Amino acid sequence: MTGSEGVDADDGLRGPVGQRFAHALAVAGQRLELDVRGLDRVDDFFSSVEWIDQEWRGRRLTVRVATYGAAGTTTGYRWVVVRLETKVRLGRWADPVMRSNSPLEGIFLPVTLDPVGEQGTWADDPALSEDLGAYAEPMPEGFVALQVRNDAVLWQLRASAMDGDRLTAAILLLDRVAGYAEQHDAALSQRLGRAAGVTGWRTFELAFVVLVLGGIAAMILAPFLLAYLF
């Protein structure tokens, strides 16, 4: 399948896509022995926004609705996030721009069939890069995004592109990505360093903290200074 063929690109989880995604969840849950909940309420976010939340293969796995993507919430939620926590905290290569837990703020990882360079993200395991590219290639461009944070790796997936096979494959690939990130963390930090924009944002954060603390200190010391002067 290429382009938008076979994919309802304008429908969110509140419509027919939600019912199809519920089936995908059921299939993946059965194949991977996952505890899936709320299958009858996938299209009802007042009742359920998180369908999987459990320990799996030594890591915590969550599958939930996501607000990733343009107009994510206003289109009835088009995206789901599959998140797998890492067993160790990753280094600076995985440092997100902002320190919050937002799924929008991870560092993007390449998912492509292009050859892997010696200094690239997947240089230590080109076969993993090939399998990631092969997974994403049949789907419409922009329908899958792979990210990493210091504490997790995650897929952002358009629900309309998911079926049982694809969701199962996404989770299994994410397990391999998490293992790769943990095993090669030191090499990745040395090779990749921080992503663009992170260092600048850290400088801003530091300056903001210094400014706030300086203001608080000035307010505390001001009465003593005034008393001394007058």
Side-chain angles (χ1 to χ4, degrees):
M1 180 179 67
T2 58
S4 59
E5 182 182 353
V7 176
D8 188 346
D10 296 320
D11 198 6
L13 283 166
R14 285 199 172 105
V17 166
Q19 301 305 313
R20 296 199 297 270
F21 186 70
H23 177 71
L25 279 168
V27 171
Q30 183 178 30
R31 291 177 179 174
L32 301 177
E33 299 182 345
L34 297 168
D35 180 20
V36 185
R37 57 195 179 192
L39 288 178
D40 59 333
R41 302 187 307 276
V42 169
D43 57 353
D44 179 7
F45 300 134
F46 293 103
S47 303
S48 175
V49 295
E50 189 167 77
W51 306 291
I52 298 173
D53 182 12
Q54 68 176 85
E55 292 295 319
W56 181 72
R57 297 189 177 182
R59 303 182 183 92
R60 187 153 204 88
L61 172 68
T62 57
V63 181
R64 57 172 292 134
V65 69
T67 55
Y68 178 85
T73 60
T74 59
T75 54
Y77 293 93
R78 294 179 174 184
W79 294 84
V80 295
V81 57
V82 181
R83 177 188 178 104
L84 193 60
E85 293 183 0
T86 52
K87 296 178 181 178
V88 297
R89 187 166 181 81
L90 303 176
R92 61 179 180 169
W93 74 282
D95 195 11
V97 175
M98 300 181 71
R99 298 180 190 272
S100 72
N101 203 34
S102 169
L104 302 179
E105 295 159 359
I107 300 301
F108 286 93
L109 301 180
V111 181
T112 175
L113 289 173
D114 295 338
V116 177
E118 293 182 359
Q119 297 301 313
T121 302
W122 311 112
D124 304 295
D125 189 354
L128 176 56
S129 179
E130 293 173 3
D131 290 344
L132 289 168
Y135 172 74
E137 195 274 336
M139 285 180 273
E141 184 177 356
F143 271 42
V144 298
L146 182 63
Q147 297 176 304
V148 64
R149 296 177 54 87
N150 297 121
D151 56 353
V153 293
L154 49 147
W155 282 113
Q156 305 282 0
L157 302 169
R158 276 287 285 267
S160 58
M162 291 296 105
D163 57 21
D165 292 337
R166 285 177 175 165
L167 185 57
T168 300
I171 295 172
L172 291 173
L173 280 170
L174 202 61
D175 184 48
R176 291 173 59 189
V177 171
Y180 177 87
E182 294 162 355
Q183 182 180 356
H184 301 288
D185 179 51
L188 288 164
S189 288
Q190 182 177 10
R191 189 162 70 235
L192 303 177
R194 279 176 165 165
V198 175
T199 299
W201 185 259
R202 291 292 175 266
T203 302
F204 170 80
E205 288 178 330
L206 178 61
F208 180 78
V209 169
V210 169
L211 180 64
V212 170
L213 293 178
I216 294 173
M219 288 187 290
I220 294 173
L221 295 175
F224 298 98
L225 181 61
L226 291 173
Y228 175 78
L229 292 176
F230 300 101

